[in-house]
Amino acid sequence: MSIDRRLIEDFIPIREISAKAAREKSIRKGHISTLHLWWARRPLVAARAAVFAALVAAPETYQKRTCLKKTMIDLCRWEAGENTVERAKKKILEAQRERLNLPADTPLNEVPAPKVLDIFAGGGAIPLEALRLGCETYAIDLNPVAHIIELCTLVYPQKYGKKLALEVEKWGNWVIENVRAEIGDLYPAIKIGEDLPEEFEQIELLPKSKPKQLSLAKTLTSVAYLWTRTVKCPNPGCGASVPLVRQTWLCKKSKKYVALKVIPNYETKQVEFEVVEATTEKGLGFDPAAGSSRGNSVCRHCGTTLDVKYVKQEGVAGRIHQQLMSIVCTTPGREGKTYLASSPPT
Ligand SMILES: C[S@@+](CC[C@H](N)C(=O)[O-])C[C@H]1O[C@@H](n2cnc3c(N)ncnc32)[C@H](O)[C@@H]1O
Ligand SMILES: [Zn+2]
């Protein structure tokens, strides 16, 4: 009996594939993750590596292993070209021909494609890569949202071809325009250096002085809204607003650390927030995780500790308020300089 041992049981270049998979997370154009959010989606390059390594045989020699390692590193690049994918498909079919005991001279186009079944297919990463590698692919998921994502990712592109991309763009824009017409007034743009219409006055750009990088009269779009509950400091000599926020991280990646710095304003007795960016965690100059802990908070104005009992009492008495912050970006939807607008607590 021949032992059908596969590459995935022998060796895969995990370190290299992990690095490519991590990079894939920041791809914002042309990736299926931008069509529909699916939290559990696995990186495509990792799925491709798993499918390939599950379908080719384990190497018997050091030389063959080295060669397969190279093939996999090349294949698991986001930009892997058609030739690379074709070479991988060929290796899969050669392995399949041997596995099925077909004569060695059977043309590869007569070898039945391997069948791949993913019974927990989710966002469809594994079946998509199995299709790319020429397999006869089946995807199942009990979640109807996942099922629709799988149809749109795996079935419709094959069924409708390139015109599907135009339709997605057209109807995507239609949805955006109609949603904007219906609720856009609730999400006003932030205008720099202009008096805001009265109804927008609750949101002001911070810092108050015009940031150097922004030209006057420029309109900024909010890309996200953050909010925190606030409670009044129990110190009779203080009474400032205390945010009940545990941590203020916005981004914590290698060489890009962004967090909100909480700044007490002693005149208004409110806290203000400033977006601080640094290339190291220490470079921020403050600890973004130094907020509430187990329900206890510290007043940023006077240092009084608000224990969990006091916070609960205030909640029961209906004296917990909210403070809204709006994250605005000069290049919406892209990595750009981030600014913050903030409202006083309501
Ligand atoms: C970790 S996710 C899969 C992620 C997927 N590999 C991807 O890259 O998007 C697991 C999936 O299994 C599905 N699932 C859980 N139990 C299931 C069951 N009994 N039958 C079918 N699908 C199931 C869930 O709905 C979920 O979508
Ligand atoms: Zn205080």
Side-chain angles (χ1 to χ4, degrees):
M1 195 180 81
S2 71
I3 300 171
D4 183 10
R5 198 159 176 270
R6 312 286 171 95
L7 175 60
I8 201 166
E9 299 169 87
D10 180 89
F11 166 84
I12 35 178
I14 295 281
R15 190 194 305 264
E16 288 85 351
I17 293 166
S18 290
K20 303 261 164 57
R23 229 198 96 222
E24 195 188 307
K25 281 199 161 182
S26 55
I27 295 173
R28 290 278 171 271
K29 202 166 168 32
H31 194 281
I32 54 166
S33 62
T34 57
L35 273 184
H36 197 295
L37 192 64
W38 187 252
W39 295 109
R41 197 194 305 278
R42 301 294 179 256
L44 295 182
V45 292
R48 196 178 309 158
V51 172
F52 178 79
L55 293 174
V56 299
E60 302 109 15
T61 62
Y62 175 77
Q63 282 80 359
K64 280 192 180 170
R65 184 172 297 122
T66 311
C67 178
L68 276 169
K69 178 180 175 184
K70 269 195 184 153
T71 305
M72 283 198 76
I73 293 176
D74 194 29
L75 178 66
C76 295
R77 286 174 305 126
W78 171 248
E79 316 78 3
E82 222 167 279
N83 290 344
T84 307
V85 173
E86 283 309 316
R87 267 197 302 277
K89 282 162 88 169
K90 189 165 168 259
K91 280 195 189 305
I92 289 172
L93 286 175
E94 283 167 355
Q96 177 79 341
R97 181 170 60 193
E98 209 172 317
R99 196 174 299 126
L100 297 177
N101 288 323
L102 295 172
D105 59 356
T106 309
L108 289 181
N109 60 4
E110 290 176 18
V111 175
K115 292 185 173 70
V116 172
L117 165 65
D118 184 353
I119 52 167
F120 302 102
I126 293 172
L128 178 67
E129 291 305 328
L131 280 173
R132 197 194 305 280
L133 292 174
C135 304
E136 187 181 318
T137 305
Y138 300 87
I140 295 175
D141 201 292
L142 56 65
N143 184 319
V145 177
H147 179 69
I148 291 173
I149 296 175
E150 287 157 22
L151 279 177
C152 298
T153 310
L154 309 167
V155 179
Y156 297 158
Q158 300 189 72
K159 198 166 166 187
Y160 300 112
K162 283 192 176 166
K163 76 175 187 331
L164 179 67
L166 299 175
E167 292 284 311
V168 168
E169 193 166 4
K170 178 182 156 190
W171 291 105
N173 285 332
W174 181 90
V175 170
I176 290 172
E177 276 160 29
N178 281 276
V179 170
R180 193 171 279 146
E182 209 165 301
I183 57 166
D185 59 320
L186 302 173
Y187 302 89
I190 313 272
K191 292 181 185 170
I192 310 299
E194 276 183 13
D195 284 340
L196 300 175
E198 206 167 296
E199 67 269 27
F200 295 173
E201 265 175 17
Q202 77 277 24
I203 292 187
E204 279 181 68
L205 190 72
L206 292 175
K208 298 265 178 336
S209 55
K210 180 177 82 69
K212 273 190 215 122
Q213 296 84 346
L214 300 181
S215 58
L216 278 173
K218 188 169 180 152
T219 301
L220 297 182
T221 307
S222 293
V223 293
Y225 289 85
L226 305 176
W227 65 276
T228 174
R229 291 198 169 91
T230 62
V231 71
K232 194 174 168 187
C233 173
N235 173 359
C238 176
S241 169
V242 182
L244 303 177
V245 61
R246 203 160 56 84
Q247 50 88 15
T248 61
W249 278 111
L250 296 177
C251 176
K252 201 175 175 185
K253 281 197 228 166
S254 164
K255 300 212 172 81
K256 190 168 165 73
Y257 294 85
V258 189
L260 298 179
K261 187 174 180 186
V262 185
I263 304 166
N265 181 328
Y266 291 95
E267 273 174 36
T268 61
K269 302 242 168 157
Q270 311 293 350
V271 289
E272 291 172 357
F273 294 87
E274 185 188 333
V275 180
V276 180
E277 291 189 36
T279 49
T280 62
E281 196 167 340
K282 263 195 166 173
L284 289 173
F286 64 99
D287 179 8
S292 306
S293 168
R294 296 169 180 262
N296 302 307
S297 297
V298 173
C299 173
R300 309 293 177 128
H301 289 73
C302 72
T304 296
T305 299
L306 285 66
D307 64 16
V308 65
K309 205 169 140 212
Y310 170 77
V311 175
K312 279 187 183 163
Q313 264 173 15
E314 291 294 285
V316 171
R319 286 194 292 265
I320 291 210
H321 303 279
Q322 284 183 15
Q323 183 163 358
L324 178 74
M325 292 156 274
S326 151
I327 299 289
V328 290
C329 214
T330 43
T331 47
R334 293 188 194 180
E335 300 253 321
K337 186 85 186 157
T338 310
Y339 298 96
L340 187 73
S342 176
S343 72
T346 54

Short mmCIF file of all heavy atoms in Angstrom, two decimals, residues 88-111:
data_model
loop_
_atom_site.label_atom_id
_atom_site.label_comp_id
_atom_site.label_asym_id
_atom_site.label_seq_id
_atom_site.Cartn_x
_atom_site.Cartn_y
_atom_site.Cartn_z
N ALA A 88 1.74 26.03 -10.44
CA ALA A 88 1.20 25.35 -9.25
C ALA A 88 0.09 24.39 -9.67
O ALA A 88 0.01 23.26 -9.16
CB ALA A 88 0.67 26.39 -8.27
N LYS A 89 -0.77 24.82 -10.61
CA LYS A 89 -1.87 23.94 -11.08
C LYS A 89 -1.29 22.66 -11.69
O LYS A 89 -1.81 21.56 -11.52
CB LYS A 89 -2.72 24.69 -12.13
CG LYS A 89 -3.68 25.68 -11.50
CD LYS A 89 -4.19 26.68 -12.47
CE LYS A 89 -5.42 26.27 -13.21
NZ LYS A 89 -6.02 27.42 -13.96
N LYS A 90 -0.19 22.84 -12.44
CA LYS A 90 0.44 21.70 -13.10
C LYS A 90 0.95 20.70 -12.05
O LYS A 90 0.73 19.49 -12.16
CB LYS A 90 1.60 22.23 -13.96
CG LYS A 90 2.22 21.24 -14.87
CD LYS A 90 3.08 21.94 -15.92
CE LYS A 90 3.92 20.93 -16.64
NZ LYS A 90 5.29 20.85 -16.21
N LYS A 91 1.58 21.23 -11.00
CA LYS A 91 2.11 20.34 -9.95
C LYS A 91 0.96 19.59 -9.26
O LYS A 91 1.09 18.41 -8.92
CB LYS A 91 2.88 21.17 -8.91
CG LYS A 91 4.29 21.51 -9.36
CD LYS A 91 5.11 21.99 -8.17
CE LYS A 91 6.46 22.57 -8.56
NZ LYS A 91 7.30 21.70 -9.34
N ILE A 92 -0.16 20.29 -9.07
CA ILE A 92 -1.31 19.64 -8.41
C ILE A 92 -1.84 18.51 -9.30
O ILE A 92 -2.13 17.40 -8.82
CB ILE A 92 -2.41 20.70 -8.13
CG1 ILE A 92 -1.95 21.63 -7.01
CG2 ILE A 92 -3.74 20.04 -7.77
CD1 ILE A 92 -2.87 22.82 -6.75
N LEU A 93 -1.94 18.76 -10.61
CA LEU A 93 -2.47 17.73 -11.51
C LEU A 93 -1.50 16.55 -11.64
O LEU A 93 -1.92 15.39 -11.73
CB LEU A 93 -2.78 18.33 -12.88
CG LEU A 93 -4.05 19.20 -12.91
CD1 LEU A 93 -4.23 19.85 -14.27
CD2 LEU A 93 -5.30 18.38 -12.55
N GLU A 94 -0.19 16.85 -11.63
CA GLU A 94 0.79 15.75 -11.69
C GLU A 94 0.64 14.85 -10.46
O GLU A 94 0.67 13.63 -10.57
CB GLU A 94 2.21 16.33 -11.75
CG GLU A 94 2.56 16.86 -13.13
CD GLU A 94 3.83 17.72 -13.14
OE1 GLU A 94 4.39 17.99 -12.05
OE2 GLU A 94 4.23 18.14 -14.24
N ALA A 95 0.45 15.50 -9.29
CA ALA A 95 0.28 14.73 -8.05
C ALA A 95 -1.02 13.92 -8.11
O ALA A 95 -1.06 12.75 -7.68
CB ALA A 95 0.25 15.67 -6.85
N GLN A 96 -2.05 14.52 -8.68
CA GLN A 96 -3.35 13.85 -8.79
C GLN A 96 -3.25 12.64 -9.74
O GLN A 96 -3.80 11.58 -9.46
CB GLN A 96 -4.38 14.87 -9.29
CG GLN A 96 -5.77 14.35 -9.52
CD GLN A 96 -6.56 14.20 -8.22
OE1 GLN A 96 -6.00 14.15 -7.14
NE2 GLN A 96 -7.86 14.08 -8.34
N ARG A 97 -2.52 12.82 -10.84
CA ARG A 97 -2.33 11.72 -11.81
C ARG A 97 -1.68 10.52 -11.12
O ARG A 97 -2.10 9.38 -11.30
CB ARG A 97 -1.46 12.23 -12.97
CG ARG A 97 -1.20 11.20 -14.05
CD ARG A 97 -0.54 11.82 -15.25
NE ARG A 97 0.75 12.43 -14.93
CZ ARG A 97 1.41 13.26 -15.75
NH1 ARG A 97 0.90 13.57 -16.93
NH2 ARG A 97 2.56 13.77 -15.40
N GLU A 98 -0.67 10.81 -10.30
CA GLU A 98 0.02 9.73 -9.61
C GLU A 98 -0.89 9.07 -8.57
O GLU A 98 -0.95 7.85 -8.47
CB GLU A 98 1.26 10.31 -8.94
CG GLU A 98 2.36 9.30 -8.84
CD GLU A 98 3.64 9.92 -8.34
OE1 GLU A 98 3.97 11.04 -8.81
OE2 GLU A 98 4.28 9.30 -7.48
N ARG A 99 -1.63 9.91 -7.86
CA ARG A 99 -2.51 9.41 -6.80
C ARG A 99 -3.58 8.49 -7.37
O ARG A 99 -3.98 7.52 -6.77
CB ARG A 99 -3.15 10.61 -6.10
CG ARG A 99 -3.78 10.31 -4.78
CD ARG A 99 -4.25 11.61 -4.10
NE ARG A 99 -3.16 12.52 -3.85
CZ ARG A 99 -3.13 13.80 -4.26
NH1 ARG A 99 -4.14 14.30 -4.93
NH2 ARG A 99 -2.11 14.54 -3.98
N LEU A 100 -4.07 8.84 -8.58
CA LEU A 100 -5.14 8.04 -9.20
C LEU A 100 -4.58 6.85 -9.99
O LEU A 100 -5.33 6.17 -10.69
CB LEU A 100 -5.99 8.92 -10.14
CG LEU A 100 -6.74 10.08 -9.46
CD1 LEU A 100 -7.49 10.92 -10.50
CD2 LEU A 100 -7.70 9.58 -8.40
N ASN A 101 -3.26 6.66 -9.90
CA ASN A 101 -2.59 5.57 -10.62
C ASN A 101 -2.84 5.62 -12.12
O ASN A 101 -3.00 4.57 -12.77
CB ASN A 101 -3.04 4.20 -10.08
CG ASN A 101 -2.46 3.95 -8.72
OD1 ASN A 101 -1.31 4.33 -8.46
ND2 ASN A 101 -3.25 3.35 -7.85
N LEU A 102 -2.91 6.82 -12.67
CA LEU A 102 -3.09 6.95 -14.12
C LEU A 102 -1.72 6.77 -14.78
O LEU A 102 -0.69 7.05 -14.16
CB LEU A 102 -3.65 8.34 -14.47
CG LEU A 102 -5.07 8.62 -13.93
CD1 LEU A 102 -5.45 10.08 -14.16
CD2 LEU A 102 -6.07 7.70 -14.60
N PRO A 103 -1.68 6.32 -16.04
CA PRO A 103 -0.38 6.18 -16.71
C PRO A 103 0.37 7.51 -16.71
O PRO A 103 -0.25 8.57 -16.83
CB PRO A 103 -0.76 5.77 -18.14
CG PRO A 103 -2.16 5.25 -18.03
CD PRO A 103 -2.80 5.92 -16.87
N ALA A 104 1.67 7.44 -16.56
CA ALA A 104 2.49 8.65 -16.42
C ALA A 104 2.40 9.56 -17.64
O ALA A 104 2.70 10.76 -17.56
CB ALA A 104 3.93 8.27 -16.14
N ASP A 105 2.01 8.97 -18.80
CA ASP A 105 1.93 9.82 -20.01
C ASP A 105 0.51 10.39 -20.22
O ASP A 105 0.22 10.97 -21.27
CB ASP A 105 2.40 9.06 -21.25
CG ASP A 105 1.57 7.79 -21.49
OD1 ASP A 105 0.69 7.51 -20.64
OD2 ASP A 105 1.79 7.11 -22.51
N THR A 106 -0.39 10.25 -19.23
CA THR A 106 -1.75 10.82 -19.38
C THR A 106 -1.62 12.35 -19.46
O THR A 106 -1.02 12.96 -18.56
CB THR A 106 -2.64 10.46 -18.16
OG1 THR A 106 -2.56 9.07 -17.95
CG2 THR A 106 -4.07 10.93 -18.34
N PRO A 107 -2.15 12.96 -20.55
CA PRO A 107 -2.05 14.43 -20.61
C PRO A 107 -2.76 15.07 -19.41
O PRO A 107 -3.80 14.56 -18.98
CB PRO A 107 -2.79 14.79 -21.91
CG PRO A 107 -2.95 13.51 -22.65
CD PRO A 107 -2.86 12.38 -21.67
N LEU A 108 -2.19 16.17 -18.92
CA LEU A 108 -2.73 16.76 -17.69
C LEU A 108 -4.17 17.24 -17.88
O LEU A 108 -4.95 17.25 -16.93
CB LEU A 108 -1.84 17.91 -17.21
CG LEU A 108 -0.50 17.48 -16.63
CD1 LEU A 108 0.31 18.68 -16.16
CD2 LEU A 108 -0.66 16.48 -15.49
N ASN A 109 -4.53 17.62 -19.13
CA ASN A 109 -5.91 18.08 -19.31
C ASN A 109 -6.91 16.93 -19.28
O ASN A 109 -8.12 17.15 -19.34
CB ASN A 109 -6.05 18.93 -20.58
CG ASN A 109 -5.69 18.17 -21.82
OD1 ASN A 109 -5.39 16.96 -21.75
ND2 ASN A 109 -5.68 18.84 -22.97
N GLU A 110 -6.40 15.70 -19.18
CA GLU A 110 -7.32 14.55 -19.04
C GLU A 110 -7.35 14.02 -17.61
O GLU A 110 -8.05 13.06 -17.30
CB GLU A 110 -6.90 13.43 -20.00
CG GLU A 110 -7.18 13.81 -21.44
CD GLU A 110 -6.68 12.75 -22.42
OE1 GLU A 110 -6.44 11.60 -22.00
OE2 GLU A 110 -6.51 13.12 -23.60
N VAL A 111 -6.57 14.65 -16.74
CA VAL A 111 -6.56 14.22 -15.33
C VAL A 111 -7.71 14.94 -14.62
O VAL A 111 -7.82 16.16 -14.70
CB VAL A 111 -5.21 14.60 -14.65
CG1 VAL A 111 -5.24 14.27 -13.16
CG2 VAL A 111 -4.06 13.91 -15.34
#
